[in-house]
Amino acid sequence: MASEFRLYPGIPRDKSCIINRELVLHGLYDVVSRPLMRLSDPEYYDPKGYRTDLKSWPARDTDGTRAAVATWNKHLDGLWSQATVPPWRRVTAT
């Protein structure tokens, strides 16, 4: 299985995953700051979304979920086209 990474300079509001263009997992990041005792910084945010509750839409269930999956595919395709390949993934000719 291959993976590709890109960077999108937006606010991390949504946690969205699309698996094989057939299953969408979506939730809103918990952006409430919390104290973190081990670091000197008094606040942190949850950038990985460990506390994010995800709703799932399988494309095969109903017309409504198929439409939702198609909408999410279109939306994330648009974001993907605007995102840049991170510098650590760029191949330079030698």
Side-chain angles (χ1 to χ4, degrees), residues 24-39:
V24 173
L25 304 173
H26 174 259
L28 297 175
Y29 280 109
D30 181 4
V31 295
V32 176
S33 63
R34 293 177 178 75
L36 185 63
M37 306 268 192
R38 294 174 293 168
L39 300 175

Side-chain angles (χ1 to χ4, degrees), residues 6-59:
R6 292 197 183 179
L7 301 174
Y8 181 78
I11 296 169
R13 186 192 72 151
D14 298 270
K15 181 174 185 176
S16 305
C17 306
I18 297 179
I19 301 168
N20 295 329
R21 300 187 71 81
E22 295 178 5
L23 173 65
V24 173
L25 304 173
H26 174 259
L28 297 175
Y29 280 109
D30 181 4
V31 295
V32 176
S33 63
R34 293 177 178 75
L36 185 63
M37 306 268 192
R38 294 174 293 168
L39 300 175
S40 60
D41 187 13
E43 295 181 317
Y44 78 99
Y45 296 93
D46 184 14
K48 291 188 178 184
Y50 289 126
R51 296 175 188 252
T52 302
D53 293 325
L54 298 175
K55 176 172 176 28
S56 66
W57 288 289

Side-chain angles (χ1 to χ4, degrees), residues 71-90:
T71 299
W72 274 107
N73 276 312
K74 181 178 177 183
H75 174 69
L76 290 178
D77 285 345
L79 290 177
W80 187 260
S81 69
Q82 295 176 30
T84 58
V85 176
W88 46 268
R89 290 292 300 166
R90 293 185 189 131

